[in-house]
Amino acid sequence: MTTEVKRLTKKTLTGTVVSDKNEKTVVVKVTRRFKDPVYSKFVSSSKKYHVHDEASKAKIGDTVTIIESRPYSKLKKWELFKVN
C-alpha cells in the first residue's frame, strides 16, 4: 500500500495594521484591486480582519502577512504570520 500525504495550504493575506489597542489582537486592513466586469475599470476594495497576535509584535502602520487559523473568538479567525 502506498501512503498518500495530502498537503493543506492555508489562505494568506497581506495588509496594514490599523489598530493594536486590544490585548493579543490587531486589526488589519487588506486592500485588493480588481477589474469591474461591467465598467472595465479597476476598483479598490478593502476589508478589516481581527488577527490573533500572541506576542504583540505588530504596531500601527506595519505591513503584515496573516494566515487562516482556528477560530480564537467570534471575530478572530486569522493569526499573524510575520511582520514585513
Side-chain angles (χ1 to χ4, degrees), residues 64-79:
V64 296
T65 303
I66 60 175
I67 59 172
E68 229 177 2
S69 69
R70 65 178 180 86
Y72 287 97
S73 66
K74 181 180 175 182
L75 295 176
K76 288 199 300 188
K77 294 168 181 66
W78 297 82
E79 68 179 305

Side-chain angles (χ1 to χ4, degrees), residues 5-33:
V5 177
K6 193 180 253 190
R7 180 171 280 182
L8 299 175
T9 56
K10 296 181 179 182
K11 292 181 187 175
T12 62
L13 297 172
T14 304
T16 306
V17 177
V18 293
S19 175
D20 63 351
K21 293 185 178 189
N22 297 323
E23 199 172 311
K24 296 184 181 181
T25 304
V26 291
V27 180
V28 177
K29 184 176 184 179
V30 176
T31 304
R32 65 185 192 99
R33 286 176 46 94

Side-chain angles (χ1 to χ4, degrees), residues 33-48:
R33 286 176 46 94
F34 59 94
K35 193 170 187 177
D36 187 273
V38 176
Y39 298 110
S40 299
K41 61 192 273 187
F42 284 95
V43 181
S44 293
S45 175
S46 62
K47 186 173 179 181
K48 291 181 182 177

